[in-house]
Amino acid sequence: MFEGKARPIPITGIMVEDAYKKVKANRGSAGIDKISLPQFEERLSDNLYKIWNRLSSGSYFPPAVKEQEIKKDNGKTRKLGIPTVADRVAQQVIKDYLEPRLEETFHDSSYGYRPLKSAHQALASVRENVRDYAWVIDLDITAFFDNVDHEKMMLALDRHVDEKWVRMYVKRWLEAPVAKANGDLIANEGKGTPQGGVISPLLANLYLHYSFDKWMEINFPEIPFERYADDMVIHCKTEAQAYYILDKVKTRLQKCNLSVHPDKTVIVYCKDYRRNIKGKKTKFDFLGFSFHPMSKKSNRGGMFLGYDCEISKKSYSKIVRELRNLKFDRWAKSWQDIVDLLNDKIRGWIQYYDKFRYRTLTNVFHRLHYRLTKWIVNRFKRFKRSRRRALNYLQYVRRRFPNLFYHWTIGYLIV
């Protein structure tokens, strides 16, 4: 497919093909050119050749990034930048080339969007540290992706990248214009990287490595923390220490053209059976989980007050809202329709939220079972609108077909 002659930039056809496979696996919608992934694949060889030809010759210029607003749970919107399929492939090529050397530099306490790192690892670290540290700074950066300083980003990149062509392409992606919904093109004026771009998380980790991780390592080496993208948890021994470190972090981030979110950043007391100061905030959310005091079983029997995590109210509400919006009780014609619709979702919820506390999704599946009884009543006339009879039938189905739904196979009951 690709020419064998030498090119000024050492990008090969294999690199482009591998990048395309990753983009395909991640799916995603069309960008400003309105070309979807299936449409891109209709002329796959030509499209991949064009990307390789332009990248390897230094003549690749990214198109504008389509801006899309996503509604948040608080009613506000979050802006995502959606590159074209071809541009996602091009970004993936450079990301694959650059990521291994940056991984050698990144801090062990950085968990977001990194190979061999996960949200569960970050949460496990928090669970371990709250046992030893009574105070937490739950820190959030205001509009981080919108405020990444291009000049500082390039200075960080220069520390690790000698190749001028890599820096050239990164700079072009940072400066790519944004296409608004009304068609206006807005130029990036020295700051911002699209949240949604393939290379953006890698660049974000690099920026925060020097803005926060490395700075913490130098100035507060005894203080543990976890960072997942721009969400951070810092552990402190005393309340006074927490306020002191938070003040220093604010100053540090301001020097990097970033600011701490005034409402989402809080200092929290990790109250348990050993800690009993009253009148302090004792709960914080991190990566879809809520950390707060809760009753736990002792290894010797009995109960004690511990400090641990479970699915957050925000995450619970999001799942319940998704179940409601599916409205399968109105259109599904068979059990198989519902199974095909839900089982992958159920498996994903359980694999993520049941990690640290068994059956933490009991209330979620109570809502699901309620929806199933609504479907049974609507679908089968013999139940004569009786929810109780429908529930009895659902319990019969579970006994008869215990592997029908994924959560039934691991012991979730119908109550």
Side-chain angles (χ1 to χ4, degrees):
M1 183 193 306
F2 302 96
E3 294 181 8
K5 63 182 181 181
R7 291 281 177 147
I9 294 176
I11 291 176
T12 66
I14 295 298
M15 293 166 65
V16 175
E17 290 175 342
D18 289 344
Y20 154 72
K21 292 175 183 177
K22 293 178 182 178
V23 169
K24 181 179 180 179
N26 292 327
R27 300 185 224 179
S29 58
I32 191 175
D33 61 359
K34 299 181 181 179
I35 297 176
S36 65
L37 191 55
Q39 290 171 320
F40 181 86
E41 291 173 333
E42 289 175 3
R43 300 185 59 195
L44 183 60
S45 296
D46 290 344
N47 287 327
L48 294 185
Y49 176 83
K50 186 183 297 183
I51 294 169
W52 168 78
N53 188 39
R54 291 178 178 176
L55 281 176
S56 62
S57 63
S59 61
Y60 181 82
F61 286 86
V65 176
K66 184 176 76 173
E67 184 179 85
Q68 182 171 319
E69 293 187 348
I70 305 296
K71 286 186 178 180
K72 299 170 68 173
D73 296 325
N74 59 8
K76 298 180 180 179
T77 59
R78 176 165 54 98
K79 295 178 180 178
L80 288 181
I82 303 177
T84 65
V85 174
D87 194 42
R88 294 205 292 273
V89 175
Q91 289 189 37
Q92 186 71 53
V93 171
I94 305 304
K95 178 178 181 285
D96 290 345
Y97 183 85
L98 191 56
E99 188 171 56
R101 75 178 77 174
L102 296 184
E103 274 296 310
E104 295 178 356
T105 299
F106 288 157
H107 199 282
D108 287 342
S109 296
S110 166
Y111 295 90
Y113 308 107
R114 295 181 58 189
L116 305 181
K117 292 278 192 174
S118 71
H120 281 158
Q121 290 176 337
L123 289 161
S125 179
V126 174
R127 294 179 77 225
E128 181 177 346
N129 282 323
V130 295
R131 297 188 185 107
D132 299 325
Y133 293 80
W135 296 87
V136 153
I137 305 170
D138 177 23
L139 190 145
D140 185 90
I141 297 176
T142 302
F144 167 71
F145 283 89
D146 294 335
N147 291 297
V148 169
D149 185 279
H150 291 180
E151 183 178 352
K152 289 181 170 57
M153 174 66 79
M154 296 308 297
L155 288 174
L157 195 67
D158 288 346
R159 286 174 173 255
H160 305 279
V161 179
D162 294 327
E163 300 94 320
K164 291 182 180 180
W165 60 271
V166 174
R167 299 199 298 267
M168 174 186 71
Y169 281 136
V170 169
K171 191 170 187 294
R172 287 179 185 177
W173 277 309
L174 289 174
E175 296 175 349
V178 175
K180 297 286 193 178
N182 62 6
D184 291 345
L185 290 181
I186 306 299
N188 276 325
E189 297 181 354
K191 67 176 184 178
T193 180
Q195 188 173 1
V198 171
I199 203 170
S200 293
L202 180 63
L203 297 179
N205 274 332
L206 177 62
Y207 196 89
L208 285 170
H209 173 76
Y210 287 108
S211 299
F212 179 78
D213 302 352
K214 192 68 177 178
W215 179 84
M216 282 289 294
E217 182 183 285
I218 294 171
N219 292 275
F220 299 101
E222 77 286 0
I223 298 297
F225 67 90
E226 295 83 20
R227 181 176 66 78
Y228 196 96
D230 57 336
D231 291 329
M232 307 169 194
V233 174
I234 306 171
H235 302 272
C236 302
K237 288 290 188 181
T238 66
E239 185 178 20
Q241 185 184 53
Y243 277 103
Y244 175 78
I245 291 177
L246 178 57
D247 183 64
K248 295 298 183 182
V249 170
K250 287 180 178 179
T251 302
R252 169 60 183 173
L253 292 178
Q254 286 173 357
K255 291 180 180 178
C256 300
N257 293 352
L258 300 173
S259 61
V260 170
H261 197 292
D263 299 324
K264 295 182 180 180
T265 298
V266 292
I267 291 176
V268 177
Y269 181 53
C270 304
K271 182 179 179 179
D272 63 14
Y273 72 96
R274 304 164 298 169
R275 307 162 180 159
N276 198 29
I277 300 176
K278 296 182 179 180
K280 302 297 182 181
K281 183 177 177 64
T282 60
K283 178 181 176 180
F284 70 95
D285 288 357
F286 185 56
L287 301 180
F289 287 77
S290 284
F291 285 82
H292 60 88
M294 61 178 66
S295 296
K296 304 191 72 175
K297 288 185 179 180
S298 169
N299 292 332
R300 300 178 180 179
M303 305 295 290
F304 70 98
L305 183 66
Y307 195 86
D308 211 335
C309 65
E310 62 184 351
I311 184 173
S312 68
K313 288 183 178 180
K314 183 177 178 181
S315 298
Y316 168 78
S317 298
K318 185 177 180 180
I319 293 174
V320 170
R321 185 166 57 251
E322 183 176 357
L323 284 172
R324 183 173 62 249
N325 292 339
L326 290 173
K327 298 180 180 179
F328 63 83
D329 51 295
R330 299 184 183 181
W331 60 262
K333 295 181 179 180
S334 67
W335 286 101
Q336 194 60 49
D337 286 344
I338 302 174
V339 168
D340 292 343
L341 177 70
L342 290 179
N343 256 357
D344 285 345
K345 296 179 185 292
I346 291 171
R347 185 179 291 105
W349 296 334
I350 289 174
Q351 288 176 349
Y352 189 72
Y353 291 109
D354 261 16
K355 177 70 174 180
F356 304 112
R357 195 175 188 190
Y358 182 53
R359 293 185 183 175
T360 192
L361 296 175
T362 295
N363 287 335
V364 167
F365 295 125
H366 177 71
R367 294 294 191 100
L368 170 59
H369 296 149
Y370 172 78
R371 289 269 159 191
L372 287 171
T373 60
K374 283 185 66 176
W375 175 77
I376 290 169
V377 166
N378 293 337
R379 185 76 179 89
F380 305 106
K381 293 181 180 180
R382 67 179 182 271
F383 292 103
K384 298 180 180 179
R385 316 299 292 181
S386 170
R387 285 285 175 80
R388 170 48 57 185
R389 293 179 64 196
L391 181 60
N392 290 339
Y393 177 65
L394 182 61
Q395 291 171 333
Y396 164 76
V397 171
R398 186 190 182 279
R399 292 192 300 270
R400 184 74 174 80
F401 304 100
N403 297 323
L404 188 64
F405 291 103
Y406 180 77
H407 64 295
W408 290 355
T409 67
I410 60 172
Y412 275 98
L413 303 177
I414 297 174
V415 294

